[in-house]
Amino acid sequence: MKTMKQRFQSILALSMLSVMVMTWMLAFGAPASASVQSTGELTFAALSGKYEKDALLVKGVFVNISDVKISKVEQFKLIVKDAAGNELATREWDNDAFLTGLSLEPGQSQKWDATLPGAVQGADLKSLDVTYQMTCATEKWAERGEGVHIFIDNRKLNPEVAPFIKDGSMLVPLRSTLEALGAKVEWSPETQTVKATKGSDVMTFKIGQKSSTINGQTIQFGVPAQIVDGSSFIPLRDASEALNCSLFVRMHSATSMTIVIVDKQ
């Protein structure tokens, strides 16, 4: 049986989490592009695009950021525009074998290459505006419970110390998060400098400083990486985007949030 003090501590912890999550959601703001906005039970995001003869190949990802299981996608319509809003291509799929076989639990993702024939040629494909309509079959899923649930390429991140929010940025344990993002981490205690290498991408930053470099170019973290009670932390969104990943967020309740991170490669 919990004592009165333990009950009070539990209520206080949930209240603090609620404020923390709400603060981060307000600071995080709405996604800048429709390609990273959660719509209904399932989200589709374009990761890249290229031309193949007269067709447009969109490399994308389905992300289940909801609290239900997706058992299949029955119908799907994809409309792709360039950054200026010009429509490049559209296509519909009805009972497609891949889509009807798509089964995703909350927090899971699945990459998919969509070919759209007859696309407008010659557009700048560095930034694509993707909108879609879909019909999904869903199944009820047991709630994950309170807290912030983080998934990186279908693996649940179980940080050794709890994430926290500072100045609108969510900070997570540094080494375990960077390694989960696919990076090799090197630490220089003399200068308190971190070097994270992921494929051809190299990011370096110093504890306590907002400035970081990625492949020699300077970027700014929202808040600096920092050491708190002997543990090193890094801002999650900044680290993910610097290492070429997309981040998806869904708040289920005042005390429950799911974050899904997907490598764009």
Side-chain angles (χ1 to χ4, degrees):
M1 296 290 291
K2 286 187 176 180
T3 65
M4 186 64 70
K5 180 179 180 181
Q6 288 173 323
R7 290 195 185 98
F8 176 76
Q9 289 174 334
S10 297
I11 294 171
L12 180 61
L14 286 176
S15 299
M16 292 177 64
L17 175 62
S18 176
V19 172
M20 180 184 80
V21 169
M22 287 297 294
T23 301
W24 193 59
M25 288 299 291
L26 290 171
F28 192 92
S33 165
S35 65
V36 292
Q37 185 171 4
S38 179
T39 304
E41 291 86 9
L42 190 62
T43 294
F44 179 78
L47 302 177
S48 65
K50 68 177 182 178
Y51 287 110
E52 288 192 348
K53 297 182 180 180
D54 66 337
L56 175 62
L57 176 65
V58 175
K59 290 184 175 293
V61 61
F62 287 97
V63 181
N64 184 359
I65 200 72
S66 74
D67 54 3
V68 297
K69 179 181 178 180
I70 306 297
S71 54
K72 65 178 176 178
V73 176
E74 297 164 336
Q75 295 176 317
F76 185 67
K77 181 179 180 180
L78 188 62
I79 303 169
V80 184
K81 299 179 181 180
D82 63 15
N86 302 307
E87 185 173 313
L88 303 178
T90 182
R91 183 179 173 184
E92 296 183 42
W93 290 261
D94 190 359
N95 290 316
D96 175 80
F98 172 83
L99 297 177
T100 55
L102 191 64
S103 178
L104 296 174
E105 297 175 1
Q108 290 187 329
S109 59
Q110 176 64 58
K111 292 180 180 177
W112 182 52
D113 292 348
T115 302
L116 293 86
V120 174
Q121 300 291 302
D124 183 357
L125 302 181
K126 292 181 180 179
S127 178
L128 295 177
D129 180 14
V130 172
T131 57
Y132 54 86
Q133 301 170 2
M134 73 174 87
T135 303
C136 301
T138 64
E139 300 175 18
K140 189 175 181 179
W141 184 258
E143 295 183 5
R144 293 194 184 277
E146 311 294 346
V148 179
H149 307 281
I150 303 173
F151 295 84
I152 300 177
D153 288 330
N154 291 323
R155 300 185 305 276
K156 193 173 190 301
L157 184 66
N158 295 303
E160 59 275 19
V161 288
F164 66 94
I165 289 176
K166 182 174 182 180
D167 298 333
S169 293
M170 179 170 289
L171 287 108
V172 291
L174 189 153
R175 179 178 289 274
S176 60
T177 301
L178 289 176
E179 289 178 344
L181 289 169
K184 177 184 176 182
V185 181
E186 299 176 58
W187 163 249
S188 176
E190 296 82 7
T191 60
Q192 291 200 316
T193 300
V194 177
K195 179 181 178 182
T197 305
K198 177 185 174 185
S200 59
D201 294 326
V202 180
M203 177 174 64
T204 59
F205 56 91
K206 192 171 183 178
I207 298 295
Q209 295 184 1
K210 288 186 177 181
S211 293
S212 172
T213 62
I214 181 74
N215 298 330
Q217 295 186 338
T218 301
I219 61 174
Q220 295 290 325
F221 287 165
V223 296
Q226 51 203 267
I227 297 175
V228 179
D229 295 332
S231 297
S232 300
F233 292 85
I234 189 171
L236 178 62
R237 184 185 183 189
D238 294 326
S240 300
E241 294 181 346
L243 293 175
N244 201 29
C245 295
S246 291
L247 185 146
F248 304 81
V249 181
R250 180 75 172 265
M251 188 171 177
H252 306 296
S253 70
T255 56
S256 179
M257 174 193 288
T258 296
I259 301 171
V260 178
I261 300 170
V262 178
D263 192 329
K264 292 182 179 179
Q265 297 300 318

